[in-house]
Amino acid sequence: MKCEELLRVLNDYIDGELAPSFCAEFEAHMRDCNPCEVVVDTINKTVKLYQGNTLYEIPFEFREKLHKTLAEKWNQHHHSQG
Amino acid sequence: MALHDTQAVADEVLVERAQSGEFQAFEELVTRHERWVYGVVMSIVRNREDTEDVVQNTFLKALEKIRSFRGEATFGTWLRRIATNSALNCLRSRGKLARVSLDQALHEDAEGVIRHPEYVADWGDDPARRFEQNQLRVILQTAIESLPDKYRIVFVLRDIEQLSVEETAQSLCLSPANVKVRTLRARLMLREHLTRVFGETPIAVEVPTDAGVGGETPAEQVLRSYLEHPIIQQGGSP
């Protein structure tokens, strides 16, 4: 396997969807090619960073407003439904 | 019944209580899910005002429909679908309208009257750690916001929301092949961006005598040319 071929199946490898025979070749290539090994490792780390961190905090003022609006709507809704 | 100390209560139980008219149960569901709903919507629409509209409409819709929720999917999945579809519709309806960037919006907020201190919250035990987390968040935000819409949204749906290729394709009216290609490009772009921030000493490589630009190895040349001119096709056009 060459570096370019590795890139073609990189996604499937990261998603765990690469056929076992390809997997072995993929991993053999990584053992011999440090840059590819690092790319695969850092892509995995990239995905995990985005999965493990809250990107945007809900603003305090908005949260207060949201809960107030929902409480009002809840009362209206349940009132109208008797 | 107070719900503060009942974190162990499953969403399903809270849904049942909400369905029988208990607002506290519904509010607890909102509290549990509002942070990631906000985060995902903001990642898609990238505009605080629209995000607040979409998040509020998502929970209002949940409020209206909670009684007809039958539990075929989990409450979280159900909510995620409402939020994602609303965010995508918002993006579509905005079409080619000029976007107000977050920076501009914040700048406008900052002008005018001096505000009374109204946001009062404890700093917690370890403000330094929180500061580091905030710095990390800014780095991650900057990287993802640098992606063009078509790559950013696919990354959010696939890797942050963890939808399958098929679900992502359906939500965006794309072919699964397109989703795969865009996911790969998004991941490579983000990795590249984050490497410029987090990268330690560049990897020492044996430079061949016929090395290309700047002493690149063949592998680096492939990667560079790929990043500059992405050409990967996986059974469909990108």
Side-chain angles (χ1 to χ4, degrees), chain A residues 3-4 7-12 14-15 17 33-36 38-40 42-43 45-47 49-51 53-63 65-75 77-78 81, chain B residues 18 21-23 26-27 30-31 34-35 38-39 42-43 48 52 55-56 59-60 63-64 67 119 136-137 140-141 143-145 155 158-159 162 180 183-184 187-188 190-191 194 198 203 219 222-223 226 232 234:
Chain A
C3 299
E4 200 173 9
L7 274 175
R8 286 181 201 281
V9 293
L10 181 54
N11 243 17
D12 289 337
I14 287 169
D15 293 334
E17 290 168 5
C33 180
N34 196 15
C36 278
V38 170
V39 166
V40 173
T42 49
I43 284 189
K45 284 178 176 158
T46 298
V47 173
L49 271 177
Y50 278 96
Q51 287 172 351
N53 285 280
T54 308
L55 268 193
Y56 301 95
E57 279 289 352
I58 185 164
F60 172 78
E61 295 82 358
F62 169 64
R63 188 183 176 276
K65 200 181 106 211
L66 174 69
H67 283 248
K68 196 164 159 261
T69 307
L70 291 173
E72 285 165 8
K73 282 282 169 191
W74 183 274
N75 288 333
H77 203 66
H78 284 261
Q81 288 188 346
Chain B
E22 194 185 318
F23 178 67
F26 180 75
E27 195 173 27
V30 175
T31 302
E34 64 194 356
R35 289 181 73 224
Y38 186 91
M42 184 72 179
S43 305
R48 190 164 155 176
E52 293 188 357
V55 172
Q56 178 161 308
F59 285 111
L60 283 174
L63 186 153
E64 282 168 22
R67 279 192 169 166
Y119 183 12
L136 174 62
R137 182 179 301 144
L140 296 179
Q141 283 173 1
I144 200 166
E145 284 170 7
F155 182 81
R158 274 290 285 129
D159 282 337
Q162 301 185 49
K180 283 189 177 187
T183 307
L184 176 59
R187 286 171 174 174
L188 285 167
L190 286 175
R191 189 212 69 85
L194 295 184
F198 300 132
I203 297 162
V222 169
L223 277 176
Y226 175 80
I232 286 192
Q234 289 185 345

Side-chain angles (χ1 to χ4, degrees), chain B residues 25-222:
Chain B
F26 180 75
E27 195 173 27
E28 172 65 17
L29 286 167
V30 175
T31 302
R32 284 186 188 182
H33 294 277
E34 64 194 356
R35 289 181 73 224
W36 70 256
V37 166
Y38 186 91
V40 161
V41 172
M42 184 72 179
S43 305
I44 294 174
V45 306
R46 285 201 303 177
N47 167 317
R48 190 164 155 176
E49 205 176 305
D50 287 342
T51 297
E52 293 188 357
D53 285 347
V54 170
V55 172
Q56 178 161 308
N57 289 337
T58 297
F59 285 111
L60 283 174
K61 204 164 183 180
L63 186 153
E64 282 168 22
K65 306 274 183 197
I66 189 88
R67 279 192 169 166
S68 57
F69 174 70
R70 292 280 165 263
E72 282 110 3
T74 65
F75 179 78
T77 304
W78 182 66
L79 200 62
R80 174 191 298 152
R81 276 191 208 133
I82 300 176
T84 307
N85 287 334
S86 307
L88 292 173
N89 284 339
C90 168
L91 210 59
R92 286 182 190 119
S93 71
R94 206 161 62 193
K96 288 176 181 166
L97 289 176
R99 286 181 199 141
V100 180
S101 78
L102 185 60
D103 284 350
Q104 274 177 304
L106 287 175
H107 186 66
E108 282 157 16
D109 278 353
E111 289 174 0
V113 292
I114 296 166
R115 293 174 61 183
H116 184 81
E118 57 186 41
Y119 183 12
V120 179
D122 191 3
W123 281 13
D125 291 336
D126 195 348
R129 193 171 150 266
R130 299 262 304 266
F131 180 73
E132 280 174 18
Q133 281 177 335
N134 287 341
Q135 278 187 315
L136 174 62
R137 182 179 301 144
V138 170
I139 291 166
L140 296 179
Q141 283 173 1
T142 308
I144 200 166
E145 284 170 7
S146 75
L147 297 186
D149 282 0
K150 62 179 184 176
Y151 299 129
R152 190 187 69 257
I153 291 164
V154 166
F155 182 81
V156 171
L157 266 54
R158 274 290 285 129
D159 282 337
I160 299 183
E161 284 204 56
Q162 301 185 49
L163 300 186
S164 69
V165 171
E166 286 70 25
E167 286 171 318
T168 306
Q170 241 171 15
S171 300
L172 300 171
C173 302
L174 289 171
S175 72
N178 281 355
V179 168
K180 283 189 177 187
V181 174
R182 289 188 188 182
T183 307
L184 176 59
R185 287 188 186 161
R187 286 171 174 174
L188 285 167
M189 286 178 190
L190 286 175
R191 189 212 69 85
E192 182 81 4
H193 193 114
L194 295 184
T195 299
R196 293 182 196 285
V197 182
F198 300 132
E200 296 177 332
T201 319
I203 297 162
V205 287
E206 284 177 31
V207 182
T209 47
D210 60 344
V213 185
E216 286 176 326
T217 64
E220 286 169 328
Q221 286 171 31
V222 169

